[in-house]
Amino acid sequence: METRRKSMTGRLVAWLRGGRSRPLLALGLVVLLCVAARQWRFASAHVLIAGPFVAPLFIWLGAARSRLARPLAIALAVALPVLYALSTWQPGTIAPPRHDWMFAYAMVAYPLCALGLAWDRSRVDQPTRRYAIGAGALAVGVLVVGVIGFAVTSDGHRSLSTLKSQAEAVEVLPLPPGLTVAAEERRCGSSGFCDVLMTVTGAPGQAPDEIADRLAAHLVDTGWQENHDGSYDKPVGGLLDWHEHTARITRAGDAVVLQLA
C-alpha cells in the first residue's frame, strides 16, 4: 500500500511538472479570478472581462519552453491575490472600482511575460513561429487592456492619466440617528458618470441648518476632509491613482441635499 501511495504521489508530481498540466493550472487561475470578480452577474461575462487581464499567463504557459516558465507562472499566480488584497484593504478610503486590481495585475503580468519571452528567445532554440505568436499575443493584449482601461476610467474630458470612479450613496451611509434619506436621485452627464443627490430630512420641526450641521459633522467623522469652499473630499483607495470623491451640502426649502460626485 505504501509503495502504491508513493507511486501515485510521484505520478502527480510528474504531471504537475509536465507541459500538459499548464492549461489546467491556467484554467484554475481564471476560475479564481471569476470568483473574485463577482460584481458581474453572469459567469460568461466574468470570463470575457477577465480574459484580457489573465491572458499573459496563458500566453506564457503556451509559448515558454525554458526553466524560467515555472517560476514566472508561480509569480503571476501569487501576484493575483496579493494585488487584490492591496487594492481592497485600505482603511480610511473609498473602495476603488473592482477593476482597479485587474489593471494593476495586467501592468505587472504583461511586462513579466514580455521579459520571459525575450529570455526564452535568447537562451532556448524556440521555433520562430511560436515566438512570433507569443509576442503578437502580448501586443494585442496590451492594446485590448488599454482600450478597456480608457473605456471604463476616462470620462471623456480628462486626460487618460486621471482615473475617475462612480460615486455611490453607500459612501456616506448610514446617516446619524434622526436623519433620513427621503429621496435619492442620479443626474448623469454625457461622460456616463452620475452625481448622487440625496434629500435628507430630520425630525419634525428640525431646522435645515441643524440638519446641515449634523451632516457636515458626520462627513468629517467618517473621513471626509473639508475644503475652503465648503465641499468635502475623500480619497479613493486602490493601486491606481483615482480621483477623489466630493460631497456638497446644499439647502432646498425645509430639506437638505447631499450631493456626491
Side-chain angles (χ1 to χ4, degrees), residues 60 95 123 132 184 203:
W60 177 257
R123 285 168 172 76
E184 182 178 330

Side-chain angles (χ1 to χ4, degrees), residues 78-167:
V78 171
L80 185 61
V82 170
L83 292 178
Y84 177 78
L86 293 176
S87 172
T88 56
W89 296 340
Q90 295 189 16
T93 62
I94 297 172
R98 298 281 183 173
H99 49 263
D100 170 79
W101 64 274
M102 290 186 181
F103 284 115
Y105 176 76
M107 293 168 64
V108 172
Y110 275 101
L112 284 178
C113 287
L115 290 175
L117 285 175
W119 176 282
D120 265 4
R121 188 67 183 91
S122 63
R123 285 168 172 76
V124 179
D125 187 14
Q126 193 175 24
T128 303
R129 179 179 299 179
R130 183 184 298 276
Y131 176 79
I133 290 174
L138 282 175
V140 172
V142 170
L143 178 62
V144 170
V145 171
V147 171
I148 295 176
F150 181 82
V152 301
T153 60
S154 176
D155 64 1
H157 301 285
R158 301 175 183 272
S159 64
L160 185 60
S161 61
T162 302
L163 305 180
K164 187 175 181 180
S165 60
Q166 177 63 55

Side-chain angles (χ1 to χ4, degrees), residues 10 19-20 42 70 91 104 135 161 191 225 227 233 248:
R20 295 180 180 179
F42 300 104
R70 191 185 307 165
S161 61
S191 64
Q225 300 295 325
N227 300 318
D233 290 339
R248 297 181 184 275

Side-chain angles (χ1 to χ4, degrees), residues 233-251:
D233 290 339
K234 190 172 184 178
V236 178
L239 301 172
L240 305 181
D241 187 16
W242 297 96
H243 195 273
E244 69 275 1
H245 289 182
T246 301
R248 297 181 184 275
I249 301 174
T250 58
R251 293 162 180 78

Side-chain angles (χ1 to χ4, degrees), residues 25-26 29 53-62 72-73 76-77 105 109 113:
L25 293 175
L29 183 60
F53 300 96
V54 298
L57 186 56
F58 280 101
I59 296 167
W60 177 257
L61 293 175
L72 182 56
L76 292 176
Y105 176 76
C113 287

